[in-house]
Amino acid sequence: MAMPPLVAPGPPLSGAERARYARHLTLAAIGEDGQRRLRAAKVLVVGAGGLGSPALLYLAAAGVGTIGIVDDDTVDAGNLQRQVAHRTQDVGRPKTASAADAVARVNPEVTVVEHRERLRADNAAGLVAAYDVVVDGADNFGTRYLVSDACAMAGKPDVWGSVLAFDGQLSVWWAGHGPCYRCVFPEPPPDGSVASCATAGVLGAMCGVVAAMQVTEVVKLITGSGEPLVGRLVIHDALGASTATLPLVRDPGCPVCGDAPTITSLVEVADCARPAEVGEPAPLVSVLDLAAELDGPRPPVLVDVRESSERAAAAIAGSVHIPMAAIRDGSYAGQLATGGRVVVHCATGGRSAVAGRILAEAGYAVRDLDGGIAAWRSARLPVVGATGG
Ligand SMILES: [Zn+2]
């Protein structure tokens, strides 16, 4: 669904600006009007790291007028493999200072605002309020929740990206127009269940792939071009050279943007800690193990906890549909034999982690599909639906 431009156009371009942005001006979807909107826009980049570094360079080159950079870290030699805004001689400098210099080298007309601090519950709302759109380049779950929550409460779009190893994901969370991060990832993963970039490694160029797509979404939002990635998740698998787009929907039970919000002021979320939820996390099952069990003599009941529109696009054959709302209010009981073997899945594993706890607490021998239908599709396993095959 197309959306109106996020930012009103500023004054007419100068001759020098016309020359600099000539390749934008010839694009019908941007043109002089769009370039004036970009120059009037204020974009906050959270993190001047793997995603933030290339994002800053492209935002500057695109002529975004004001770029804010939030980071409290200093440049380390181990950053240089992917954090392309920083140079060898910047090692030891604050990342905001190094990134501000990089932006100035690309485009001295851009105003850079350095926020040399960590995004926290007590400063996030003020930071987000000063900008039109936020690019989330955070490398930890706690900051991602804060960015999403602050944006949801301020009604601003959160252009989120994530990279790990050879895989990348991105979406635009925008409460009021589509789901927020919590709708899809309702709680941080249990401690130790998810590898971080520090332990798993990351292909440097993957950061560039995802960051460039994030900036593309920012430009689309500011200029009102195309169809923003609201309510959709892009999953890029570099080793398989494949990209999939999954539909996502708002969770009416979301604690931040749902019908009856329970989180109404910003709170810190621990990176990997377990929030107050029922039960223990259900054990994970891999997509390959599940595929073998479904073909075997005693297949488990596979429960898809996503919404109908997500299932219509792609579903695993034979799965039973019990959306999260029914899992939460207990109305699923008639659909599942007590004590039966159950596997729950969602898009990427966020919602199913919660569903797994609830069903385990209710006495089911439940397991949680690791990575959801996104991992299933990455493994080239078949799906049924509009985008199946
Ligand atoms: Zn939400």
Side-chain angles (χ1 to χ4, degrees), residues 313-315 377 380-389:
R377 294 184 70 170
R380 307 284 187 279
L381 291 162
V383 294
V384 293
T387 60

Side-chain angles (χ1 to χ4, degrees), residues 237-275:
D237 163 17
L239 289 182
S242 69
T243 303
T245 305
L246 293 178
L248 300 171
V249 295
R250 168 181 172 267
D251 177 2
C254 173
V256 172
C257 79
D259 295 339
T262 53
I263 299 174
T264 53
S265 61
L266 292 175
V267 290
E268 304 280 348
V269 178
D271 259 359
C272 287
R274 217 176 285 156

Side-chain angles (χ1 to χ4, degrees), residues 102-381:
V103 168
R105 284 193 298 271
V106 171
N107 191 343
E109 301 302 317
V110 174
T111 301
V112 178
V113 185
E114 290 183 49
H115 303 283
R116 199 172 298 174
E117 54 194 325
R118 188 176 176 84
L119 197 81
R120 301 180 313 268
D122 61 0
N123 67 4
L127 285 169
V128 167
Y131 294 87
D132 300 304
V133 51
V134 179
V135 174
D136 182 3
D139 60 358
N140 65 85
F141 288 93
T143 304
R144 287 177 191 150
Y145 283 104
L146 261 184
V147 172
S148 175
D149 292 353
C151 286
M153 289 173 194
K156 299 198 175 175
D158 166 14
V159 182
W160 165 84
S162 164
V163 288
L164 192 65
F166 294 91
D167 299 319
Q169 300 186 351
L170 75 149
S171 187
V172 175
W173 313 117
W174 199 358
H177 301 273
C180 79
Y181 182 67
R182 277 189 197 268
C183 289
V184 178
F185 302 98
E187 64 172 58
D191 201 2
S193 69
V194 175
S196 71
C197 286
T199 54
V202 58
L203 179 70
M206 270 307 296
C207 297
V209 169
V210 172
M213 292 178 85
Q214 287 179 283
V215 172
T216 303
E217 291 304 314
V218 169
V219 170
K220 286 163 61 184
L221 288 166
I222 290 168
T223 60
S225 309
E227 303 220 350
L229 196 63
V230 175
R232 289 181 293 158
L233 176 74
V234 167
I235 298 165
H236 184 76
D237 163 17
L239 289 182
S242 69
T243 303
T245 305
L246 293 178
L248 300 171
V249 295
R250 168 181 172 267
D251 177 2
C254 173
V256 172
C257 79
D259 295 339
T262 53
I263 299 174
T264 53
S265 61
L266 292 175
V267 290
E268 304 280 348
V269 178
D271 259 359
C272 287
R274 217 176 285 156
E277 271 281 355
V278 296
E280 294 293 311
L284 294 172
V285 57
S286 74
V287 292
L288 294 177
D289 286 349
L290 175 65
E293 289 183 35
L294 290 175
D295 281 341
R298 211 170 136 256
V301 176
L302 178 60
V303 174
D304 182 351
V305 302
R306 299 175 302 156
E307 302 300 317
S308 301
S309 57
E310 297 175 89
R311 267 179 77 74
I316 299 172
S319 58
V320 178
H321 184 212
I322 306 179
M324 279 306 292
I327 298 276
R328 286 204 184 89
D329 69 17
S331 60
Y332 65 85
Q335 282 179 266
L336 283 181
T338 312
R341 293 165 63 244
V342 174
V343 172
V344 285
H345 90 81
C346 61
T348 63
R351 283 166 287 179
S352 65
V354 176
R357 290 167 185 272
I358 294 172
L359 293 181
E361 189 77 357
Y364 290 90
V366 60
R367 289 170 297 161
D368 178 12
L369 183 62
D370 194 9
I373 197 168
W376 180 272
R377 294 184 70 170
S378 286
R380 307 284 187 279
L381 291 162

